[in-house]
Amino acid sequence: MGSVIEGVWGFCLNACLKQQNIHEYKLGWIYGHTYNDFACVVSDEPWDPETKQGELFRIEAKSMVNSADESKAHFDRLSRELVPLDILAVFLWDWQRIKPGELTVYPAIVDAFVGRALPVAHLRDEMHIQRGGSFVTEGNCPDGCSPQACIHLGEPLNANGVRERRTGPQTATARSVSYAANFGGLLRMLGCRSEEGRSILNRYYNEDETVRRFLDFMRRNFNRVSQALE
Ligand SMILES: [Zn+2]
């Protein structure tokens, strides 16, 4: 259902642009990506998602179910893959009855965050290190790649040295899993076990307007987050 909500959002946004007589730009859906990724494209220019020709910025759409304890929504694009204009859009939804007492339910969007992706990625990365994780740096790849040939720069490794993404170093796996897939979980990435984690969250909250809006969105909806913020 989350994927449908994300796709319909893109469709509705284009309808809104048309309604407001804005024809210079439109939202393009990027074919072949695992997640729902959109690009803001210039209408009368050829668009090439490979080279990003004809696009102004990208939008990553994520959805979370309010009633699920652990959301499956992952924001795991590497910081180095994001440019300052890129946008993160998160929709929180839940099943609601059409009318009180009615049996028919529909997926209602109960809250949302739309803002720049990069500051949120920076917070995510710092929290990852605080939990004992690391990132592949030049000359330090577990695969032993030469710095020129390494395609794993910036890939996250968890506290046990296991790659977090399928694209991480091939030798950084565990016996049970090929990759950990915890990195960027929208709720999990804010988890802190120490005073240090809480102080990182609060520092970003006080210093970055985008992160503040993101954390306000999360704390409105998840107790765990509001407890970590002072
Ligand atoms: Zn490498």
Side-chain angles (χ1 to χ4, degrees):
M1 182 48 71
S3 300
V4 175
I5 289 173
E6 293 155 20
V8 168
W9 172 75
F11 177 82
C12 290
L13 197 83
N14 272 334
C16 284
L17 289 175
K18 254 187 218 163
Q19 212 172 39
Q20 292 172 29
N21 255 333
I22 299 169
H23 302 288
E24 304 97 295
Y25 316 108
K26 58 187 172 194
L27 207 62
W29 184 74
I30 304 174
Y31 164 82
H33 280 204
T34 321
Y35 303 120
N36 273 304
D37 290 334
F38 299 93
C40 175
V41 299
V42 182
S43 298
D44 54 4
E45 271 183 33
W47 176 36
D48 181 356
E50 285 297 316
T51 61
K52 296 190 172 183
Q53 188 209 345
E55 62 178 70
L56 299 172
F57 57 87
R58 290 198 165 180
I59 303 165
E60 209 167 314
K62 306 280 169 202
S63 56
M64 305 169 81
V65 191
N66 200 17
S67 48
D69 190 39
E70 183 66 62
S71 167
K72 287 198 180 77
H74 275 67
F75 170 49
D76 66 353
R77 183 158 306 172
L78 302 184
S79 291
R80 67 169 170 81
E81 297 170 333
L82 293 164
V83 297
L85 282 179
D86 285 347
I87 297 280
L88 172 68
V90 186
F91 308 106
L92 189 77
W93 69 277
D94 215 337
W95 296 109
Q96 286 187 359
R97 291 183 193 282
I98 286 186
K99 267 192 254 163
E102 287 261 353
L103 288 178
T104 313
V105 291
Y106 73 103
I109 293 173
V110 291
D111 205 346
F113 164 83
V114 179
R116 304 250 185 263
L118 201 51
V120 179
H122 287 154
L123 168 68
R124 174 199 67 190
D125 293 355
E126 218 172 302
M127 293 299 284
H128 174 68
I129 289 169
Q130 169 265 144
R131 283 189 300 271
S134 62
F135 294 93
V136 175
T137 52
E138 210 179 300
N140 251 326
C141 181
D143 282 2
C145 316
S146 73
Q148 295 82 4
C150 186
I151 52 164
H152 310 113
L153 281 188
E155 284 285 349
L157 307 170
N158 72 11
N160 298 320
V162 176
R163 62 182 181 173
E164 285 283 2
R165 313 191 325 156
R166 196 156 38 95
T167 47
Q170 280 173 18
T171 54
T173 54
R175 205 171 292 167
S176 50
V177 288
S178 151
Y179 59 104
N182 290 317
F183 183 73
L186 283 171
L187 194 52
R188 203 174 286 193
M189 75 183 203
L190 303 177
C192 42
R193 297 176 196 141
S194 62
E195 202 46 53
E196 190 203 343
R198 277 184 287 278
S199 83
I200 295 170
L201 279 185
N202 283 285
R203 172 162 52 82
Y204 270 86
Y205 186 87
N206 291 322
E207 289 177 0
D208 191 289
E209 192 268 329
T210 301
V211 174
R212 185 179 314 141
R213 283 198 301 109
F214 175 70
L215 290 174
D216 277 338
F217 160 71
M218 293 297 286
R219 89 199 292 190
R220 277 199 298 275
N221 298 293
F222 300 98
N223 265 341
R224 240 196 282 177
V225 180
S226 65
Q227 281 160 10
L229 288 163
E230 279 154 12

